Amino acid sequence: MTNKVLFTGKTHNTNGRDGGARSSDGYLDIKMKQPHPAAENLFGAAWSACYMGAIEVAASQRQIKLPAGIAVDAEIDLNADDGNYFLSARLNVTVPEVDPAIARELLEAAHSICPYSKATHGNINVVTNLV
């Protein structure tokens, strides 16, 4: 099987008073004086966007029509324990007008579709809440 690259994100980051991050395609251009909390916020934004798309794929696979208004609020924690740093996360998901049991099924399926969820699986504590 041959992998097909669908997209490559390219960013350039600098630090200091005028630090920031820019993507080569211009979609991202932000100032960030400190690497944290910017890193956690950017990771949360990227993961929640990917996860929302995975929910849509899971719904499509099951022939479920999703209403407008789906949202994912990501909370990414930077933790420290005896000098070791690690992340934990909460994904708070709104799926309006969908039966909660079906919505939970979609959220579980989305974790097996989303590349960010796959990358973090078993590596960080993740709680997914249907709100």
Side-chain angles (χ1 to χ4, degrees), residues 17-36:
R17 200 167 75 111
D18 295 320
R22 287 183 305 282
S23 64
S24 61
D25 60 10
Y27 283 116
L28 178 68
D29 188 1
I30 62 169
K31 292 193 178 291
M32 45 187 212
K33 296 176 185 178
Q34 300 285 331
H36 300 284

Side-chain angles (χ1 to χ4, degrees), residues 11 13 18 27 38 40 42 49 73 84 87 96 115-116 118 121:
T11 59
N13 290 281
D18 295 320
Y27 283 116
E40 288 74 26
L42 289 168
D73 294 302
N84 294 310
L87 299 175
Y116 284 83
K118 289 178 184 181
H121 182 75

Side-chain angles (χ1 to χ4, degrees), residues 47 51-52 54-56 58-59 62 64 66 70-72 91-96 98-114 117 126-131:
W47 189 359
Y51 188 68
M52 191 168 7
I55 293 168
E56 292 170 351
R62 290 160 178 75
I64 297 171
L66 293 175
I70 293 175
V72 179
L91 300 178
N92 302 307
V93 186
T94 303
V95 186
V98 174
D99 178 89
I102 293 171
R104 284 186 188 86
E105 178 185 323
L106 295 175
L107 301 187
E108 184 65 31
H111 278 299
S112 66
I113 296 168
C114 173
S117 293
V126 180
V127 175
T128 307
N129 299 306
L130 178 63
V131 293

